[in-house]
Amino acid sequence: MILTGQSPFFGEQSILSGFPLRPHPDAPIPDMAAGLTEILEEARLSARALMDYGSHLLNPTVRLGVTGLSRAGKTVFITALVHGLLRGGRFPVFDALTTGRIATARLEPQPDDAVPRFNYEGHVHTLIEERRWPESTSDISELRLAIAFQRRSGAERTLTIDIVDYPGEWLLDLPLLDKSYERWSAESLALSRQQPRATLAAAWHAHLATLDPLGREDEQATLTAAKLFTEYLRACRDERFAMSLLPPGRFLMPGGLKGSPALTFAPLDVAADGTPPGRSLWAMMRRRYDSYKSIAVRPFFRDHFARLDRQIVLVDALAAFNAGPTALRDLEAALAGILDCFNVGRGSLWSALFRPRIERILFAATKADHLHRSSHDRLEAILRRMLDRAAMRAELAGASIDVVALAAVRATREAEVQRGREHLPSILGTPIAGEQAGGETFDGETEVATFPGDLPTDLDSLFSDNSTFRGLTAAQPDESDYRFLRFRPPLLEHGPDETPALPHIRLDRALQFLIGDRLE
Ligand SMILES: Nc1nc2c(ncn2[C@@H]2O[C@H](COP(=O)(O)OP(=O)(O)OP(=O)(O)O)[C@@H](O)[C@H]2O)c(=O)[nH]1
Ligand SMILES: [Mg+2]
């Protein structure tokens, strides 16, 4: 465990001071409107907290948030975790299971009618029967699990676990609540002028240069700007660049808001402390940015994020290694942003009711099965180092934090491959059809042994500003220092009425940290 301790910051900070709730820019009496919104918001939050608290007394519940940027491994993680609990997985470190204190685990109807149910059965079928990874998901979803267990004292209890799967991109939006349109524009533009982003932003920048922020509002120009800006964000996310810090999150993960005016805006080159004239392009962009915050960001915080007790943040650090040093630095900046959200979200005027909220946060480097066992500890150390640096910036303390390198579903086995006199620690697996390495394209059926590259042990030089390992951003695939192939899920032999256990790496450690104490 790395960063623990109680923060005075959490105890005293209120949601109101942490996230000043901004009035609509055209609102007639801004201060009074803001005050009213704040009171309503607090009232709603506290009513929800009371309701949650009441049901918690009758029925102990843990709300576990599972998040991570797109493709980090959220769906696979939840599927494997629930499968392991329902079926009884091989979880030696998960104490309640190994000591035989879990009697049954079953799925139950979820509590929130407006949230889609996590398609657990479909995902298990795809993984085990079809040996395919589940399709990409882009919205929030939820699943409720009830575990009947025996406490260490012998008393019989039921623990309800609500698992909430939400896109990490939405979490990175929370800092926007505290940011004006002008400041957000300035920051987004500054970031987009650094390489490799600047090249990817060329088309959007060229269009931006034709816009007059003080000119009349113009729907078509706004639509084009939003489209080009979204394309730039999408290009940054491509695996060659693997950038992480790409707000506003709904531009890439719109959920139910696709095509709405609240998603139709883009940064303009305006003074960070300026005020737009009425009916100008600038005023229109600013209005929509504010709508985005009130329609997308604030409800997400109020209805989902503020109600979580535990959180796992899944991080695909290997994708950043594939891409190169800039992607790694970008990931670190995104982690700092995520830590900031946990700081801001904890306190409130009604903190006695809210507390404890997000008491435990686990940062997990996923897909560790792409590496030989000898590199698992290194992957964990690299993530820990990124978080330590991010935590310094984010002044984080208050919740228990742990770090783990895991594979929710282990798609590979280990082997040693001899190259000349060297024995290379390698992995064996079936690359997905179409994956390429060493000039070969794989057919999705053949098992191969690969040596993916050892992760570095010298973290100082890895994180130094002139770190120069080669990734896909700057080099051809065969010249890059790391090349992590994607493998198919493992082949699991099983009879017609048998449910096979899913192999994993350290999933049990994650479970123990996240809910082990609630099953004591
Ligand atoms: N080898 C291996 N690959 C994994 C594992 N978990 C996820 N992956 C790979 O990562 C991809 C994305 O995993 P998902 O679980 O769909 O990720 P997600 O975060 O839900 O992605 P979105 O829904 O698109 O945001 C999968 O298609 C797999 O290729 C794992 O434990 N082992
Ligand atoms: Mg998903």
Side-chain angles (χ1 to χ4, degrees):
M1 193 176 300
I2 48 162
L3 315 155
T4 33
Q6 281 302 316
S7 159
F9 181 82
F10 287 172
E12 288 158 20
Q13 178 85 348
S14 80
I15 285 179
L16 303 185
S17 54
F19 282 161
L21 302 170
R22 287 169 192 286
H24 189 283
D26 301 336
I29 315 170
D31 287 340
M32 195 189 285
L36 192 63
T37 323
E38 286 167 5
I39 291 165
L40 285 174
E41 197 86 29
E42 276 297 331
R44 233 184 263 157
L45 274 167
S46 58
R48 173 63 69 79
L50 264 176
M51 238 165 65
D52 283 354
Y53 185 70
S55 67
H56 179 81
L57 283 181
L58 295 173
N59 186 10
T61 303
V62 176
R63 276 182 85 81
L64 168 65
V66 177
T67 198
L69 298 173
S70 152
R71 310 268 76 201
K74 302 176 287 295
T75 303
V76 173
F77 174 83
I78 296 176
T79 307
L81 179 134
V82 173
H83 189 261
L85 285 172
L86 293 183
R87 184 206 169 275
R90 291 187 206 116
F91 289 161
V93 178
F94 184 43
D95 192 70
L97 196 66
T98 36
T99 52
R101 290 186 294 106
I102 293 190
T104 58
R106 60 178 192 281
L107 292 175
E108 293 214 324
Q110 68 189 54
D112 299 296
D113 292 342
V115 180
R117 180 179 182 275
F118 182 85
N119 181 13
Y120 168 71
E121 296 78 3
H123 297 322
V124 169
H125 186 269
T126 315
L127 266 176
I128 297 183
E129 305 306 331
E130 299 177 26
R131 280 188 74 199
R132 281 193 303 110
W133 299 105
E135 295 297 324
S136 188
T137 42
S138 59
D139 212 335
I140 192 160
S141 69
E142 193 176 67
L143 193 69
R144 172 168 274 198
L145 199 72
I147 301 183
F149 71 103
Q150 193 175 46
R151 297 193 60 177
R152 283 194 184 277
S153 63
E156 310 220 323
R157 291 279 184 278
T158 299
L159 177 69
T160 302
I161 305 174
D162 288 331
I163 302 178
V164 186
D165 170 5
Y166 66 93
E169 284 79 358
W170 296 5
L171 190 56
L172 282 170
D173 266 357
L174 291 177
L176 298 186
L177 284 177
D178 201 15
K179 219 171 262 179
S180 68
Y181 170 72
E182 290 71 23
R183 221 182 97 208
W184 169 74
S185 280
E187 288 179 9
S188 303
L189 268 170
L191 199 61
S192 73
R193 287 179 177 139
Q194 295 169 13
Q195 283 301 356
R197 289 175 181 248
T199 311
L200 306 172
W204 165 51
H205 283 169
H207 180 257
L208 180 66
T210 67
L211 297 179
D212 174 11
L214 304 179
R216 250 192 110 62
E217 58 183 25
D218 178 346
E219 182 69 45
Q220 286 313 312
T222 309
L223 276 168
T224 309
K227 180 172 157 282
L228 292 172
F229 178 60
T230 310
E231 279 167 11
Y232 147 71
L233 295 177
R234 197 169 294 128
C236 290
R237 198 176 61 176
D238 181 273
E239 65 174 5
R240 273 183 305 149
F241 306 100
M243 295 284 155
S244 306
L245 206 54
L246 301 167
R250 304 263 175 166
F251 279 50
L252 294 178
M253 290 278 164
L257 291 178
K258 200 161 184 222
S260 67
L263 295 197
T264 313
F265 64 92
L268 285 174
D269 211 347
V270 292
D273 54 355
T275 315
R279 304 201 67 86
S280 61
L281 183 66
W282 178 359
M284 180 177 182
M285 294 277 197
R286 181 206 249 219
R287 200 166 55 239
R288 295 204 169 159
Y289 172 82
D290 285 332
S291 298
Y292 178 80
K293 292 200 287 185
S294 56
I295 292 172
V297 188
R298 200 174 299 145
F300 165 70
F301 171 71
R302 183 190 60 218
D303 299 338
H304 303 293
F305 184 71
R307 295 168 64 205
L308 298 175
D309 306 296
R310 310 274 160 112
Q311 175 69 55
I312 178 164
V313 180
L314 301 175
V315 180
D316 189 353
L318 299 182
F321 268 99
N322 258 345
T326 353
L328 212 55
R329 278 195 283 276
D330 204 71
L331 176 60
E332 192 185 315
L335 289 174
I338 287 176
L339 285 175
D340 266 338
C341 299
F342 292 118
N343 272 341
V344 176
R346 275 180 67 88
S348 99
L349 288 180
W350 281 267
S351 49
L353 277 179
F354 275 113
R355 223 180 281 147
R357 285 277 128 145
I358 307 196
E359 320 128 313
R360 289 179 176 224
I361 312 169
L362 180 62
F363 283 87
T366 53
K367 311 178 196 179
D369 58 327
H370 285 102
L371 296 167
H372 188 268
R373 181 170 11 117
S374 52
S375 277
H376 293 166
D377 288 344
R378 289 185 198 172
L379 179 58
E380 228 166 80
I382 289 165
L383 181 58
R384 177 166 289 143
R385 174 68 166 259
M386 278 198 268
L387 279 163
D388 278 342
R389 287 160 51 107
M392 268 186 259
R393 269 184 274 163
E395 300 174 42
L396 182 106
S400 300
I401 296 202
D402 203 356
V403 173
V404 67
L406 59 77
V409 174
R410 179 180 197 155
T412 64
R413 291 172 287 130
E414 289 180 349
E416 279 211 343
V417 168
Q418 196 165 353
R419 193 192 285 164
R421 289 209 186 141
E422 260 185 309
H423 288 269
L424 299 176
S426 306
I427 50 172
L428 264 177
T430 313
I432 289 177
E435 284 286 287
Q436 296 178 331
E440 198 179 338
T441 304
F442 299 105
D443 63 2
E445 299 299 330
T446 319
E447 197 173 59
V448 299
T450 65
F451 172 64
D454 277 332
L455 291 182
T457 41
D458 179 4
L459 300 189
D460 287 334
S461 66
L462 179 66
F463 288 105
S464 78
D465 282 341
N466 40 20
S467 165
T468 53
F469 74 88
R470 281 169 310 173
L472 294 174
T473 305
Q476 291 304 312
D478 282 340
E479 295 165 354
S480 56
D481 289 332
Y482 302 98
R483 191 77 191 99
F484 300 107
L485 289 173
R486 287 181 306 145
F487 295 97
R488 286 182 68 185
L491 177 66
L492 304 170
E493 305 287 356
H494 63 105
D497 299 324
E498 257 174 25
T499 317
L502 284 164
H504 66 88
I505 297 169
R506 300 181 183 177
L507 183 60
D508 48 346
R509 235 183 79 189
L511 255 179
Q512 180 63 25
F513 177 77
L514 290 169
I515 57 167
D517 62 315
R518 302 299 298 269
L519 297 165
E520 284 294 301

